[in-house]
Amino acid sequence: MLTKIKAAIIDLDGTMLDTAADFHVAVNRMRADLGLSPLAQQTIVNFVGKGTENLIRRVLAVDYAEDEAQQYFEQALAAYTEHYLQINGDFSALYPGVLEGLQAMKDKGLRLACVTNKPIAFTLPLLEKKGLRSFFEVVYGGDSLPKKKPDPMPLLQVCSDFGLAPAQVVAIGDSSNDAQAARAAGCRVLNVPYGYNHGESIHDVDSDGIVQTLFEAAQQISVQ
């Protein structure tokens, strides 16, 4: 049980929403624009987690050497952004227990923030489309602040927004990015086992526990 918790910072991709198919469609439409062959969904998912720029660089690195990939980067990023905005949320789905978990956290009096490395222009419409936006007082995307997870800056910003000490805040996410950011910020951290985590086992990540759903996470958190 995590005690004396006043707020939760929750990740988006791989934590609340299975967005793998959205990434798959948008990336492969971008690759088609560049005359490249499609990639398997799992290959793309393994590149997810450290922001859109990193995703595009990893995707281009499949076909190009570093110098050549850089030449195509801006074109690829623009194409990917256009395609993603067109299909944002169309192929994604809520994980089990997400709505119940968020509601249970609210019922306990926890303040909620969503912090993701997804660009804010993708994040806000997606939260609205999936009925999640109203749960969160604060939403930060990967381009909302100068640094993104695994840097602690976004988590520390939420703590400041809420007027809380980091020890009163728990981060919940599917990857090492969330755990590293939380540890560096001084927050508690819970991980879910069903997300992406760069293709690596979440059981190797330093956290305060693994919960099967956000509803289970809510049960593990106490405001007292």
Side-chain angles (χ1 to χ4, degrees):
M1 202 75 174
L2 301 184
T3 60
K4 298 182 179 178
I5 300 296
K6 304 299 182 187
I9 299 172
I10 305 175
D11 179 52
L12 182 54
D13 297 306
T15 300
M16 291 191 286
L17 286 173
D18 183 356
T19 49
D22 281 354
F23 287 116
H24 188 222
V25 170
V27 164
N28 280 333
R29 287 183 182 177
M30 174 271 282
R31 286 178 62 83
D33 290 348
L34 270 61
L36 302 174
S37 60
L39 296 177
Q41 181 168 301
Q42 189 57 51
T43 299
I44 296 167
V45 165
N46 289 345
F47 298 158
V48 169
K50 294 189 175 176
T52 298
E53 294 86 354
N54 182 72
L55 170 64
I56 299 305
R57 292 187 196 284
R58 297 280 306 271
V59 166
L60 291 176
V62 172
D63 301 271
Y64 299 119
E66 187 174 345
D67 290 350
E68 198 174 11
Q70 185 59 37
Q71 294 175 21
Y72 289 104
F73 176 76
E74 293 299 337
Q75 179 186 352
L77 180 62
Y80 172 77
T81 299
E82 180 180 351
H83 290 306
Y84 202 102
L85 286 170
Q86 288 173 352
I87 59 94
N88 190 6
D90 288 353
F91 303 95
S92 62
L94 286 164
Y95 286 110
V98 170
L99 292 175
E100 299 89 339
L102 293 174
Q103 190 59 56
M105 291 180 206
K106 291 291 256 188
D107 291 345
K108 285 189 172 187
L110 292 172
R111 301 177 73 178
L112 299 182
C114 175
V115 172
T116 172
N117 282 347
K118 195 183 211 70
I120 196 70
F122 296 172
T123 298
L124 292 174
L126 185 57
L127 290 172
E128 291 283 359
K129 189 170 193 171
K130 298 301 182 181
L132 300 176
R133 179 65 186 91
S134 62
F135 286 103
F136 298 101
E137 289 183 54
V138 172
V139 178
Y140 289 124
D143 51 356
S144 296
L145 298 164
K147 296 181 180 179
K148 58 174 73 81
K149 297 180 293 184
D151 193 276
M153 178 183 283
L155 277 62
L156 291 170
Q157 183 61 53
V158 172
C159 294
S160 176
D161 294 339
F162 287 169
L164 296 172
Q168 296 175 292
V169 179
V170 60
I172 305 172
D174 66 310
S175 82
S176 57
N177 283 337
D178 305 290
Q180 290 169 18
R183 286 287 187 248
C187 298
R188 311 297 292 277
V189 58
L190 296 172
N191 282 123
V192 296
Y194 48 72
Y196 309 140
N197 195 35
H198 326 297
E200 301 167 5
S201 173
I202 198 65
H203 297 276
D204 298 328
V205 172
D206 174 27
S207 76
D208 294 302
I210 295 174
V211 289
Q212 298 304 309
T213 65
L214 289 193
F215 185 67
E216 183 181 327
Q219 295 172 308
Q220 295 290 324
I221 297 169
S222 172
V223 298
Q224 302 298 322

